[in-house]
Amino acid sequence: MPINPEIATIVGQSLNENSMMVFEYMNLMAEYASDLYAPDPQAHSEIADEYNRQVQAVLYGESTPEAAAQALVEYINKTLNQ
């Protein structure tokens, strides 16, 4: 079932009876479905790893929450602006 409605209409015109029932059911369910989740932003896993490092530094007394937050913000800005 194509997400693009124009393509779905074209595909729907060439279906056999059984496939058309599935197609119609999918169209019905689309009215009740939520939107697709947006993909994770660029460098999501690297930022998540840095977040975890900063949390660990605070938990083990190696950093203050304020210093860890500042370091994380700087890391995010640097990473996303590469």
Side-chain angles (χ1 to χ4, degrees):
M1 178 73 173
I3 293 174
N4 182 312
E6 293 173 11
I7 302 298
T9 300
I10 294 168
V11 169
Q13 295 171 354
S14 63
L15 299 176
N16 64 33
E17 184 178 344
N18 290 334
S19 295
M20 183 54 85
M21 288 191 305
V22 172
F23 184 79
E24 289 171 354
Y25 175 77
M26 295 296 290
N27 280 331
L28 176 64
M29 290 298 101
E31 295 176 26
Y32 300 99
S34 60
D35 292 336
L36 294 174
Y37 291 108
D40 289 332
Q42 167 188 339
H44 170 74
S45 62
E46 293 89 347
I47 292 170
D49 290 344
E50 181 63 21
Y51 170 81
N52 290 328
R53 280 191 288 277
Q54 294 300 332
V55 167
Q56 293 297 315
V58 171
L59 292 175
Y60 289 106
E62 300 167 356
S63 182
T64 66
E66 294 80 11
Q70 182 62 38
L72 180 61
V73 168
E74 289 172 4
Y75 180 84
I76 290 169
N77 288 330
K78 178 182 148 201
T79 302
L80 294 179
N81 291 321
Q82 286 184 8

